[in-house]
Amino acid sequence: MALNILLGFAAFCFMEFVAWSNHKYIMHGFLWDWHKDHHRSDSKKGSMPLNTESKHFEKNDRFFIMYATPAIIFLIIGLTFNYSAMIAMGIGISSYGLTYFFIHDVIIHERLPLRFLQKHENSYIKAIRRAHLAHHRPKTKKDFHIYGLLVFPRRFLKQ
Ligand SMILES: [Zn+2]
Ligand SMILES: [Zn+2]
């Protein structure tokens, strides 16, 4: 049991690495075509980047399906053959996906009208938001290169 919790947690952490590396090398690389609509409002003055309560899906949302697939496969195999380790990893990957969705899509980009989540005073989440918005609207070259979500340069904590 303890080992499975550890495994689930490791899968969760590993997904931050997957998200960072894919964002850097794939989404801003050969699959830029899927990601670019997520950056379409970056240069619009005033409104926050992509404050999309417009209820439209983005091409970028395809990545959710891409990341959900391994988690679903892990869970199906795990539950069918009773492999607890695979269930644990499936839960870890899915938890990361949910966390990413709530922080990135609901809290930062306000794609769903869940005000109670968007009005928060948590300093870590505020720092995540600052760091992610720096990727969308970089003031320096360094800012743009923030490709992770939960892990970001320490300077954003101090602001
Ligand atoms: Zn990006
Ligand atoms: Zn974003």
Side-chain angles (χ1 to χ4, degrees):
M1 184 66 190
L3 194 74
N4 283 335
I5 292 173
L6 209 70
L7 207 59
F9 183 68
F12 182 95
C13 296
F14 180 67
M15 284 309 288
E16 172 69 12
F17 169 75
V18 171
W20 166 80
S21 56
N22 283 15
H23 188 190
K24 183 171 174 158
Y25 297 107
I26 297 176
M27 297 157 95
H28 283 263
F30 69 97
L31 278 181
W32 168 244
D33 199 43
W34 289 16
H35 186 53
K36 70 179 174 203
D37 64 352
H38 183 62
H39 281 280
R40 68 177 182 265
S41 308
D42 288 5
S43 54
K44 271 189 206 155
K45 287 272 175 286
S47 71
M48 200 175 70
L50 213 82
N51 186 344
T52 48
E53 257 181 41
S54 54
K55 296 170 187 71
H56 288 308
F57 280 108
E58 300 168 7
K59 270 193 195 170
N60 190 52
D61 294 327
R62 294 175 187 174
F63 289 108
F64 274 109
I65 301 165
M66 231 168 85
Y67 296 132
T69 310
I72 292 167
I73 293 172
F74 273 51
L75 286 172
I76 290 175
I77 297 176
L79 290 167
T80 310
F81 300 103
N82 224 344
Y83 293 147
S84 58
M86 286 194 98
I87 298 172
M89 286 191 283
I91 292 173
I93 299 171
S94 306
S95 309
Y96 184 84
L98 266 178
T99 307
Y100 199 99
F101 175 75
F102 277 105
I103 293 183
H104 177 259
D105 294 85
V106 177
I107 296 179
I108 300 178
H109 290 297
E110 301 181 2
R111 295 180 72 189
L112 295 176
L114 299 173
R115 296 282 170 264
F116 67 100
L117 280 175
Q118 287 143 6
K119 273 190 196 146
H120 62 83
E121 286 304 318
N122 185 291
S123 54
Y124 174 55
I125 293 180
K126 279 181 169 173
I128 294 176
R129 188 174 181 278
R130 280 195 291 270
H132 186 70
L133 291 183
H135 169 67
H136 280 282
R137 286 189 176 157
K139 290 196 183 83
T140 64
K141 241 191 169 155
K142 261 197 204 154
D143 282 353
F144 179 72
H145 293 290
I146 297 160
Y147 294 104
L149 188 74
L150 306 181
V151 179
F152 47 83
R154 285 186 64 164
R155 61 194 152 99
F156 290 98
L157 277 170
K158 290 174 202 139
Q159 283 173 25

